[in-house]
Amino acid sequence: MGGTAGLIHTSLAVGTFLVWCQAQSGMRSYGPVFEEQPSHTLFPEGSAEEKVTLACRARANPPATYRWKMNGTELKLEPDSRYRLVAGDLVISNPVKAKDSGSYQCVASNSRGTVVSREASLRFGFLQEFSAEERDPVKITEGWGVMFTCSPPPHYPGLSYRWLLNEFPNFIPADGRRFISQTTGNLYIAKTEASDLGNYSCFATSHMDFITKSVFSKFSRLSLAAEDARQFPPSIKAKFPADTYALTGQVVTLECFAFGNPVPRIKWRKLDGPQSSKWIGSEPLLQIQQAGFEDEGTYECEAENSKGRDTHQGRIIIHAQPDWLDVISDTEADIGSDLRWSCVASGKPRPTVRWLRDGQPLTSQNRIEVSGGELRFSKLVLEDSGMYQCVAENKHGTVYASAELTVQALAPDFRLNPVKRLIPAARSGKVIIPCQPRAAPKATVLWTKGTELLVNSSRVTITADGTLILQNISKSDEGKYTCFAENFMGKANSTGILSVRDATKITLAPSSADINVGENLTLQCHASHDPTMDLTFTWSLDDFPIDFDKSEGHYRRASAKEAIGDLSISNAQLRHSGRYTCTAQTVVDSASESATLTVRGPPGPPGGVVVRDIGDTSVQLSWSRGFDNHSPIARYLIEARTLLSNQWKQMRTNPVNIEGNAETAQVVNLIPWMDYEFRVLASNILGIGEPSLPSSKIRTKEAAPTVAPSGLGGGGGAPNELIITWTPTLRDYQNGEGFGYIVSFRRKGSQAWLRARVPHAESLHFVYRNESIAPYTPFEVKIRAYNNKGEGPESLTAIVYSAEEEPKAAPYRVIAKSVLSSEMDVSWEPVEQGEMTGVLLGYEIRYWKDGDKEEAADRVRTAGLVTSAHVTGLNPNTDYHVSVRAYNRAGTGPPSPATNVTTARPPPKRPPGNISWTFSGSTVSIKWDPVVAKADESAVTGYKMLYRQDSHSAPTLYLASKSQIDIPIPEDFTHAFVQIRVTGPGGDGTPAEVHILRNSGTSMMVEDSGMRPVPHVVVVTTNSLLMVALISSLEL
């Protein structure tokens, strides 16, 4: 027995040494932890890819080695095998379905233990060709429904379907009449039409990761017999299963399509619960995005047309893959201790949980109990160390959770946590000295002061974890304190020296205060302390520390002196009320004093606003009293807003002034049949507080209209019509449902009123037609509003005229006179008002060239009663015909007799040339060569000269009958700008412009610039004159 005990002790010591060495090394060793695990893989048959890679990578120290299992059997990775290991990845070369399809698992190991990855399947995707057999033709009566069967070829995974009509790529679109099932691939046509004739082919597509493949069937011919025009009720042909299973998070799709004439509409409903917001309904399809357990239930598809309805029902059943709720984590435990691990998983069906140790199944044995998701160890031994996994699985999947168990056996060791060498403590205070050696199992602890063994007493406490607590400390407690720790692995001790210091005391405590919002205050706090130690101050409000950096400037330290910790509060707010505590602290002790600050302000928001006794123009409001914020509430205000405006407005109340002790009031002068929200505000001498939360929305009761419609008028329209218009009444004044208008009208001077009801609040006109209505007849018109509660007041009477007719009379004595080569004046005698059947708006002048038709005439309109017009834009030396018509809102009247006018010939194009000038005292004499008109130009009757002293002064116009003019000039004259042009019956000609500079009384002739094709400048200099001539085409 003694030999065996010695052997056990030796193995424990070696284990202790190894564990301790690992703890002290720079890189801690640990078991494998997966960073990448294999995933389900689909490999397309016939793919150009020549290999499949299943990934596996684990973090471990020392590094992990890898093995792989296929269908639970370990793979042999031989040099000439198609299986290769690249790092931890498994690479399969030239994969073959018959040999390589299956479930794969990665196994990672090192000296600390082994873990297995999740299982990943390798499957092979394929899509074969459709059968080569011809498809039977389909013949159906036009108007009936028809189904084409797809019968897709063998495939994996699922397919998407489309149908071709006659040729590629003429795909049949998805519409309400035609439907392609993505479950079966079948094509449904609810009601055939002539356009459906043709050849049909099913087009199936497989999407396999990086490869897409499509095949199509042989064509099937559709022919139609004579149309059956009868209508018939729906008959559902494409039905979803009675039970549809789906996993949480997936998209669930139900299909439903019916034959019928007319084409049925499809509606969806859930029979045993509310419709989900995740529904995406598009007639034949119901899709539920990210399905959850709340989507379980019975669903109904209803097909309906004018001839009847058909329904189909089925259940959606939601299952879930396993998902961890609670998992194990890496654990270090002492040798000989007990351990309980738990794994909890959710899922539907309920998952079962099993356990693995180093990749092998773990069952109950000796000290280990396995019970579902629980694993219990009794009296741990070193051999229990290793990698553990709990595995939760149901028919929809499997999840793994891993953790490492390290069992420790250590003699007590203070190297990581020695007792503090110097332990300061405050006189009359308390000191806590921990003793925390590293030990496994837990060590027994003793304390000594010097050579004296310490035991629990009124001032000395040794806690269960070995901590020493000394209270009411005095100078005599100074000395050496040693902690002794021992377990069956060995012994150790650690010593510290206790030094007693003066206690910290508050010498000036803060005083309670009462201030208003926005005011400033300083709370004082002074303290004394042991001079050998540093003193710091902290402040808290209602036991929450104050962070000066995040106080938005409200808090700051009032003094930089070490013994003064005053707190300055600026722009105090209501939230700053409370109990302030000043704490003066050294490393050995602290002292605290508190004071209460009351900040008075406007009241807080009232609560619980309730609306009752709802009438048409009043409601009763009640509320609960909010915080008065330390100043009595004086009165309440009530505000409201409607659906028409987001603006809150103060309302009239009964009583007018609501006293501060009230908790109810009546709101009056409301608008009937209006949606309102109400809120209440309280006020005191410090102001109006924050509003309450809005009440629930209410609608006042209906009442008859109280306001007559506005904007009454009308007129215009077609012959024999009376049009009455008004401004539609706003929602504010409708007062109830069933709103409309009652229009009353009668011929002016008659007795009986005619009435017409015009429904709908948006209506804005009424048209009365009667063959007996003469044009432009005055009517007296009134209007009032009505709703379901009655009629409102009537408006004032307005005069509205019936539709006008075009004027019946024409203007006369039309005179047209040429003014210039491109302008003429037209005048006429007006039509008599008695001949008008409407309001005269003005006259329309029509003019056209001799030889043109009147239909091509240009037109100019005047407004009002003017009887003349000036017409521009005419061609020179051209014969025109002119007529005038009156017009009103109904159109234009008959034309006046046409008169003729010939426009003048155009003025000469050549500008005056050879311009010269002579200065004589206060006069400048300007001369030029006369301009002689050509045969196709109008005669020259004189000249116009525009004279300007400088570019900023106003010009002066001079007229001359000859080719010379004298112009007075001031004594300080230096220069001037002059434009000269001819004038005559055809208008004004092209100008010549000169710039006159004065230096002496002599002159210089300007060369003839009229022959120049473009503007130019000529500069001539003599000993007495500088002259610049600029010829341009500027108009006067």
Side-chain angles (χ1 to χ4, degrees), residues 948 979-981 989-993 1015 1030-1036:
R948 193 169 65 240
Q979 277 187 356
I980 305 171
R981 70 183 74 205
T990 304
E993 182 172 334
L1030 172 65
I1031 307 301
S1032 73
S1033 59
L1034 297 175
E1035 296 288 342
L1036 283 177

Side-chain angles (χ1 to χ4, degrees), residues 103-247:
S103 176
Y104 290 80
Q105 219 172 359
C106 174
V107 182
S109 304
N110 72 356
S111 59
R112 303 284 292 188
T114 299
V115 289
V116 296
S117 73
R118 66 190 177 204
E119 295 181 12
S121 65
L122 172 59
R123 303 190 67 174
F124 287 75
F126 65 95
L127 172 59
Q128 297 181 9
E129 297 291 334
F130 275 95
S131 169
E133 293 184 9
E134 296 293 332
R135 297 204 168 197
D136 295 334
V138 176
K139 186 172 183 179
I140 197 76
T141 300
E142 183 178 345
W144 292 9
V146 67
M147 180 191 77
F148 288 92
T149 302
C150 180
S151 300
H155 59 275
Y156 181 83
L159 304 176
S160 63
Y161 299 95
R162 291 184 286 177
W163 279 77
L164 293 169
L165 177 58
N166 294 327
E167 60 183 359
F168 181 87
N170 186 23
F171 291 106
I172 295 173
D175 54 27
R177 192 173 65 87
R178 293 172 289 191
F179 172 65
I180 300 171
S181 169
Q182 296 302 311
T183 302
T184 63
N186 297 341
L187 168 65
Y188 299 84
I189 303 177
K191 170 181 170 288
T192 52
E193 299 176 352
S195 60
D196 295 324
L197 281 170
N199 298 305
Y200 289 79
S201 172
C202 181
F203 190 89
T205 302
S206 174
H207 303 277
M208 295 177 283
D209 293 339
F210 48 87
I211 289 182
T212 298
K213 180 180 179 182
S214 297
V215 294
F216 57 90
S217 70
K218 290 285 188 177
F219 282 90
S220 178
R221 175 74 181 173
L222 173 65
S223 57
L224 299 177
E227 181 181 5
D228 182 355
R230 291 177 301 168
Q231 296 185 338
F232 54 91
S235 174
I236 295 177
K237 298 298 183 182
K239 300 179 180 180
F240 55 95
D243 291 329
T244 299
Y245 289 88
L247 295 177

Side-chain angles (χ1 to χ4, degrees), residues 444-742:
T444 302
V445 172
L446 298 173
W447 279 93
T448 64
K449 178 190 175 188
T451 58
E452 176 190 358
L453 179 65
L454 297 178
V455 295
N456 287 336
S457 65
S458 59
R459 292 197 315 112
V460 176
T461 302
I462 301 173
T463 66
D465 66 355
T467 299
L468 174 63
I469 303 174
L470 303 177
Q471 301 189 72
N472 194 19
I473 291 172
S474 64
K475 198 70 174 174
S476 62
D477 291 319
E478 289 187 329
K480 291 184 178 181
Y481 288 80
T482 302
C483 173
F484 292 89
E486 181 179 4
N487 65 11
F488 74 88
M489 296 290 295
K491 300 178 181 179
N493 62 76
S494 181
T495 301
I497 299 173
L498 178 67
S499 174
V500 178
R501 312 292 176 89
D502 291 339
T504 302
K505 296 180 180 178
I506 300 292
T507 57
L508 179 59
S511 301
S512 297
D514 189 337
I515 60 174
N516 293 334
V517 167
E519 294 181 348
N520 304 327
L521 175 71
T522 297
L523 295 176
Q524 294 182 307
C525 185
H526 299 183
S528 63
H529 67 292
D530 191 296
T532 64
M533 314 195 76
D534 292 331
L535 177 68
T536 58
F537 287 90
T538 59
W539 285 87
S540 63
L541 172 57
D542 295 331
D543 298 327
F544 287 96
I546 294 174
D547 187 337
F548 289 85
D549 294 332
K550 297 181 180 179
S551 70
E552 300 175 349
H554 291 291
Y555 296 119
R556 64 180 180 85
R557 293 278 170 79
S559 174
K561 295 181 179 179
E562 184 183 25
I564 299 177
D566 296 353
L567 174 66
S568 177
I569 304 174
S570 302
N571 188 22
Q573 301 299 306
L574 293 172
R575 65 179 182 275
H576 297 142
S577 292
R579 180 171 171 269
Y580 285 82
T581 300
C582 170
T583 301
Q585 189 169 9
T586 66
V587 294
V588 298
D589 70 338
S590 63
S592 300
E593 291 289 346
S594 300
T596 299
L597 174 62
T598 301
V599 180
R600 303 185 187 278
V609 178
V610 177
V611 187
R612 53 187 175 81
D613 298 342
I614 301 171
D616 54 0
T617 60
S618 66
V619 298
Q620 193 73 25
L621 237 61
S622 61
W623 58 90
S624 59
R625 183 183 179 88
F627 292 112
D628 63 9
N629 289 331
H630 315 295
S631 179
I633 296 173
R635 58 191 294 257
Y636 287 98
L637 303 174
I638 295 177
E639 293 181 339
R641 67 180 176 189
T642 68
L643 60 80
L644 304 176
S645 171
N646 280 327
Q647 298 293 323
W648 290 94
K649 296 181 180 179
Q650 186 173 341
M651 306 303 291
R652 293 189 178 183
T653 59
N654 181 24
V656 175
N657 293 316
I658 306 171
E659 299 296 331
N661 58 357
E663 293 187 2
T664 183
Q666 186 183 43
V667 185
V668 297
N669 287 9
L670 300 176
I671 300 172
W673 193 57
M674 182 58 67
D675 293 330
Y676 281 98
E677 288 179 299
F678 299 92
R679 69 182 188 183
V680 182
L681 302 90
S683 66
N684 58 20
I685 59 173
L686 296 174
I688 299 175
E690 296 180 8
S692 68
L693 293 174
S695 69
S696 57
K697 287 184 180 179
I698 63 97
R699 176 172 289 185
T700 50
K701 292 184 177 179
E702 299 181 43
T706 54
V707 177
S710 61
L712 186 60
N720 309 118
E721 284 186 351
L722 171 66
I723 296 181
I724 302 170
T725 62
W726 59 89
T727 302
T729 299
L730 297 176
R731 171 69 174 77
D732 309 49
Y733 306 109
Q734 294 174 18
N735 289 9
E737 296 273 11
F739 188 85
Y741 305 91
I742 299 174

Side-chain angles (χ1 to χ4, degrees), residues 394-461:
N394 64 13
K395 64 181 181 179
H396 301 298
T398 305
V399 289
Y400 288 75
S402 304
E404 182 175 3
L405 172 61
T406 303
V407 179
Q408 302 180 111
L410 299 170
D413 185 354
F414 281 97
R415 280 177 289 186
L416 292 180
N417 292 301
V419 174
K420 192 175 180 181
R421 295 292 299 275
L422 180 61
I423 308 168
R427 195 187 307 271
S428 302
K430 178 174 76 172
V431 67
I432 299 174
I433 310 174
C435 179
Q436 298 173 329
R438 185 171 182 179
K442 182 180 176 181
T444 302
V445 172
L446 298 173
W447 279 93
T448 64
K449 178 190 175 188
T451 58
E452 176 190 358
L453 179 65
L454 297 178
V455 295
N456 287 336
S457 65
S458 59
R459 292 197 315 112
V460 176
T461 302

